[in-house]
Amino acid sequence: MKKLWDNITPSDVKKAIELFDRTNENYPEPRNTFLIFNEKKYPAKHIRGLAYFVANKKEISKSEYSGGQETATFFKKLGFTVQYKKDTLKPIEKSKTTAKPTEQTEPRKTISKKLNVVSQKNAIQRLLQKHFGHIETEKKFDWLKTPNQEKLPKEYSQIVKALSGYRNQNGFQKSNYQLLCDIVLEDHKLIIEYDENQHFSKAREITLLNYPSTIKLNFSKETWINACKKINAKDNSPIDRDEKRAFYDTVRDIEANKHGYKLIRIKHGDIDWEADGAEIYLKQFVSIEDEQNENSTKHKIARLVVTGKQYDKYGNPNFSKLKKMIEKFLATEYQKRTYEFILTPGGFLTFDFPESLQYELDIAKAEKQSVALLEKEANSIIVSFFESLNPATFNKLKETADYFTIGIDGFNPTNNQSIELVAIYDLNKEKVISWTGKFYPTEGQKRDLIKINDLDTHFVELNNQRVLMLGCHDLNVFSPRGQATANPDGWKKQLADRFKTQCKKFKPEIILQHPHTTDTPNIWNLAWRTVDKELPYVKHFASGIKYFNRNGVRGDIDKVLEKTKKGDVTDFYYD
C-alpha cells in the first residue's frame, strides 16, 4: 500500500484542493477526518483520492485505501495539518537535509498556451459523449426563463436591487426571456455551463454576493467571485451587456436548483480539455461517481414508460413483459441510485368487477357503497403482480425505491361500467397504504364511470412531503381550455373549483398523475403550465406515460417526456 502513494507530493495535494474548490462545494461533510488548508476544512479521504489521480492520471476507488488515522498520517507526513476525531494533528517535521529534486517533486506546470474556446467546448462534448452517452447542447426548458419583474420571486429581489444600483442599467429586467443551456445530461439531471472570461465581470460578482443562502450551488462561489475580481471583464456593447450576462447566469443557477437539476460551471482556461488525461478531471467536475453512493441523495421520481408491447389488444397487461421492464430498470439502478417514487400510468394493471357487482349496478349507489369492495378486488391483482416477481428482484426493488404508484382500472365485463383507481404501494411494508382514483370524468364517461368522490383521498403526506395523487383526466381541472368552456353553474365546474381550492390549502410539493395513453406533448401541456402558475410551491410533478396510439403515435417521445414533468424525474423508456 505504501508504494501506491509514494509519488504523491504536496503540490499534488494543493492541486487536488484547487480542483475540489472548483467542483465540490456541497460535498457531504466527513465524520472524523479533515484536512486543514488555508484555515478551511476539507474531506481528507476524498482529497487524498483526488491527489492520487492528479499525480497518476487514473482514479483509485475509496475501497482501496482507508480514511481515519491512516489518511491523517498520510497528510501529516506531507506537511499538512489534519483534524482527526476533534484533535488537531500538526505536520511531521522533515529532516533538514535537502532532498535532491526529482521529477515527482517538481510542481506541475500551469497551462501556458492560449486555448481556443470552441475547440475546448467541442472537446468537453466529445468526452461527455464517450463516458455518459447522449448529451444535448443549447437546450431550452420551459421553466428556464427570466422571472416576472412585476411579481419578482423573493430569491431575486436583493440581486435585482444590487445589480440595478451598480450602473443604473435596468435592461436586464426583461420578463419571461427564454434562456439556453450549454450542455445537458438529461439522464443525470445535469447542466454544464462553460464560462469564458467575459462571464467574470463586476456585475457577475455583484449577483453572486447577493445569492440567498437557500440556493444550493455545485461550483465554488468563492472561486467565481475571486475570478471576477481578477479578470474584471468589461463588455459595453451594448452598454448593459455585463448586467444581462450576469443576470442570465444567475437565473440559470437559481432555476436549475429549483427544478431539481444540478448545474456545474467550468471556467475556461483552468484545464486543457484537449490534453491527454483530461477525462479524469471531467469525472470530478461531473461528480457522477459510484464511490459517492453512500453519500448520495435519494431521487424523487422514477418514471417507468410503457408502450402497447406490454399489453394485449384489449389493454390487459402481460405480467411477464412488465416484469422484464422492472428487471431492466433494476439492472441500471440497483445499488447505484435510489428513488422515493416509481410512477406508472393509468391502467398499468387491470381487473374485472367481482361477480356480485356485474349485474344491474347503479353507478350513484356504487360510488357510495361499492368502492371498498372494488379496491379489495384491485388489491388482489396488485398482490399477485408483486408475488409474480422473482424474490431477488422484489428485494432489489425494495432497496431501490420507497413507493410504487399503480394506476389500476376495473371493468364490468357485462357492460361499459368502469372504475379507474390509483394505489400507493409501500415497498418496505409490502402493501397498499393509500387508495384514490379518478373523480373528474371525460364527457364520454359521465354515465358509466364509478367516480372517487372523496376528494381528501387525493392528498397524502409521504416522507414528510405533501403529495397530490391524480387519476387520468383529473389534471384537466387545471386546463384553461376545458374550464373556459364548462358550464359555470354545472357540477363539473363547481367540482373543479372545489378541488383547486383544496389544492391551494394543501400546498402540494409533488404531484403524480396517472393518465392512460400519452402519445403527444400537447395532451397535458396546458394543464401542467397552469399548475406551475397556480401552485408555485410544487417542486416536482410527472405524468405516468403509456406511449401508445392504435393509429400510430403522434409525437416524439423526448418531447412527450419533457412536457410532462418538472423537477427531479428520471425516465426509463425501453422501446
Side-chain angles (χ1 to χ4, degrees):
M1 178 63 74
K2 183 179 178 182
K3 290 183 179 179
L4 195 64
W5 301 93
D6 281 353
N7 68 325
I8 310 299
T9 69
S11 177
D12 295 326
V13 174
K14 292 175 184 178
K15 288 285 185 182
I17 292 171
E18 291 174 9
L19 182 57
F20 182 87
D21 280 338
R22 292 198 297 267
T23 62
N24 287 284
E25 187 174 74
N26 293 292
Y27 191 86
E29 185 172 292
R31 290 189 295 271
N32 297 315
T33 316
F34 297 87
L35 173 66
I36 311 297
F37 186 73
N38 287 343
E39 299 183 352
K40 287 181 65 176
K41 289 184 178 181
Y42 294 90
K45 185 176 181 180
H46 186 65
I47 296 297
R48 185 181 177 187
L50 289 181
Y52 179 88
F53 82 70
V54 166
N56 297 290
K57 294 190 176 180
K58 64 180 181 180
E59 294 180 87
I60 183 170
S61 170
K62 284 185 178 174
S63 64
E64 296 182 55
Y65 64 103
S66 300
Q69 184 67 58
E70 179 192 307
T71 288
T73 302
F74 169 81
F75 282 119
K76 284 169 58 184
K77 287 180 178 179
L78 287 175
F80 292 93
T81 300
V82 183
Q83 180 180 310
Y84 177 58
K85 291 185 177 180
K86 298 184 179 180
D87 293 327
T88 299
L89 309 179
K90 296 296 183 181
I92 297 173
E93 291 189 13
K94 296 181 180 180
S95 170
K96 294 186 178 181
T97 57
T98 305
K100 293 181 180 180
T102 65
E103 184 178 348
Q104 286 86 358
T105 58
E106 289 177 4
R108 293 177 175 271
K109 294 180 180 179
T110 56
I111 298 170
S112 57
K113 70 175 183 179
K114 188 174 182 180
L115 303 177
N116 180 274
V117 170
V118 175
S119 297
Q120 291 291 299
K121 281 186 175 181
N122 288 340
I124 291 174
Q125 291 173 22
R126 288 193 298 270
L127 290 171
L128 287 168
Q129 288 169 333
K130 176 182 176 181
H131 291 280
F132 304 108
H134 177 66
I135 69 169
E136 299 172 82
T137 59
E138 302 298 315
K139 183 172 180 177
K140 296 180 181 179
F141 292 97
D142 287 342
W143 46 263
L144 189 53
K145 297 177 181 178
T146 54
N148 186 338
Q149 294 295 322
E150 294 182 1
K151 297 180 180 179
L152 193 65
K154 62 180 180 180
E155 60 265 26
Y156 287 100
S157 58
Q158 184 58 37
I159 296 169
V160 169
K161 180 180 178 182
L163 192 56
S164 298
Y166 167 42
R167 300 191 301 181
N168 296 317
Q169 297 292 334
N170 298 308
F172 69 90
Q173 296 182 44
K174 182 179 180 180
S175 300
N176 299 316
Y177 181 71
Q178 180 76 63
L179 301 177
L180 301 174
C181 297
D182 285 345
I183 303 171
V184 176
L185 280 70
E186 185 61 43
D187 289 345
H188 299 284
K189 288 289 178 287
L190 179 69
I191 297 170
I192 300 173
E193 290 293 312
Y194 190 82
D195 287 353
E196 305 154 45
N197 281 358
Q198 61 264 35
H199 288 261
F200 297 92
S201 62
K202 180 65 177 178
R204 181 62 168 142
E205 178 189 351
I206 289 169
T207 62
L208 288 165
L209 287 170
N210 286 279
Y211 273 23
S213 60
T214 54
I215 300 301
K216 179 181 177 182
L217 300 178
N218 295 287
F219 62 94
S220 171
K221 185 170 76 170
E222 180 182 349
T223 299
W224 252 241
I225 289 173
N226 289 337
C228 289
K229 293 177 179 177
K230 182 178 179 179
I231 298 172
N232 194 24
K234 293 180 173 62
D235 185 353
N236 293 319
S237 180
I239 188 66
D240 59 353
R241 187 69 184 94
D242 285 344
E243 284 85 349
K244 286 181 177 177
R245 184 179 286 118
F247 189 63
Y248 296 165
D249 280 346
T250 297
V251 173
R252 291 183 180 97
D253 291 341
I254 292 176
E255 296 303 316
N257 175 252
K258 287 168 62 176
H259 289 83
Y261 282 76
K262 178 179 178 180
L263 186 147
I264 65 171
R265 293 189 173 276
I266 295 176
K267 180 173 169 289
H268 175 67
D270 278 354
I271 293 168
D272 182 358
W273 296 103
E274 297 178 274
D276 292 339
E279 60 196 64
I280 297 174
Y281 293 92
L282 182 69
K283 288 184 179 181
Q284 288 302 315
F285 273 99
V286 179
S287 296
I288 306 171
E289 300 172 355
D290 291 340
E291 66 186 36
Q292 292 185 20
N293 279 347
E294 59 183 319
N295 297 314
S296 62
T297 45
K298 185 171 287 185
H299 292 281
K300 292 297 176 190
I301 304 165
R303 180 161 59 170
L304 299 184
V305 179
V306 301
T307 65
K309 294 179 180 180
Q310 295 89 12
Y311 297 82
D312 65 21
K313 62 180 180 180
Y314 303 107
N316 297 310
N318 183 314
F319 274 19
S320 177
K321 292 182 179 179
L322 290 177
K323 285 189 291 183
K324 285 182 180 178
M325 182 178 67
I326 290 174
E327 288 167 359
K328 287 182 179 179
F329 164 71
L330 292 171
T332 60
E333 303 309 295
Y334 177 61
Q335 292 187 331
K336 294 181 181 177
R337 284 168 287 276
T338 56
Y339 300 86
E340 294 189 43
F341 303 95
I342 295 176
L343 175 67
T344 67
F348 181 76
L349 300 178
T350 61
F351 68 98
D352 284 342
F353 283 15
E355 191 173 350
S356 61
L357 297 179
Q358 291 182 8
Y359 301 96
E360 299 180 359
L361 181 66
D362 178 78
I363 292 292
K365 186 176 179 181
E367 289 175 348
K368 294 179 181 178
Q369 301 178 1
S370 304
V371 171
L373 181 58
L374 291 164
E375 289 174 350
K376 182 179 179 181
E377 193 72 18
N379 188 69
S380 67
I381 299 297
I382 292 173
V383 170
S384 296
F385 174 70
F386 283 113
E387 286 180 346
S388 73
L389 296 177
N390 180 290
T393 299
F394 185 62
N395 287 332
K396 289 179 180 179
L397 194 62
K398 290 172 62 176
E399 292 180 39
T400 305
D402 297 333
Y403 305 100
F404 198 115
T405 73
I406 303 168
I408 179 165
D409 293 349
F411 300 96
N412 188 335
T414 68
N415 55 36
N416 293 322
Q417 292 173 338
S418 64
I419 188 169
E420 297 178 8
L421 295 170
V422 175
I424 301 175
Y425 186 88
D426 187 318
L427 287 163
N428 185 49
K429 295 179 179 178
E430 299 185 19
K431 67 177 183 179
V432 173
I433 59 168
S434 180
W435 287 98
T436 189
K438 181 185 281 188
F439 72 89
Y440 195 72
T442 64
E443 286 299 310
Q445 290 180 317
K446 286 194 298 185
R447 295 180 59 183
D448 295 318
L449 179 76
I450 298 175
K451 304 185 299 298
I452 303 301
N453 292 320
D454 183 0
L455 297 186
D456 289 342
T457 62
H458 292 271
F459 304 92
V460 294
E461 291 200 19
L462 298 168
N463 292 358
N464 297 313
Q465 298 164 112
R466 296 180 300 277
V467 183
L468 173 59
M469 304 292 291
L470 297 177
C472 178
H473 196 250
D474 295 344
L475 182 63
N476 275 340
V477 299
F478 292 99
S479 170
R481 185 179 301 163
Q483 296 308 306
T485 58
N487 180 352
D489 299 319
W491 70 270
K492 286 190 72 175
K493 181 67 166 66
Q494 293 177 4
L495 178 63
D497 289 344
R498 183 156 55 94
F499 184 74
K500 287 192 286 186
T501 298
Q502 281 192 240
C503 288
K504 291 173 182 177
K505 289 181 179 179
F506 183 68
K507 292 182 169 56
E509 299 164 84
I510 300 171
I511 302 180
L512 302 175
Q513 185 211 10
H514 301 75
H516 293 79
T517 57
T518 304
D519 69 312
T520 168
N522 300 324
I523 295 179
W524 309 113
N525 187 42
L526 284 177
W528 280 130
R529 300 292 77 76
T530 305
V531 166
D532 261 341
K533 294 176 182 176
E534 296 189 7
L535 306 178
Y537 20 78
V538 175
K539 300 176 183 176
H540 315 273
F541 66 61
S543 303
I545 300 295
K546 183 177 182 180
Y547 184 59
F548 175 73
N549 188 313
R550 294 185 187 278
N551 300 315
V553 293
R554 295 170 290 172
D556 178 75
I557 182 63
D558 290 335
K559 290 293 184 183
V560 169
L561 298 176
E562 179 187 339
K563 296 289 186 179
T564 53
K565 66 180 176 181
K566 170 184 176 178
D568 187 5
V569 182
T570 306
D571 295 314
F572 299 90
Y573 172 58
Y574 310 105
D575 188 11

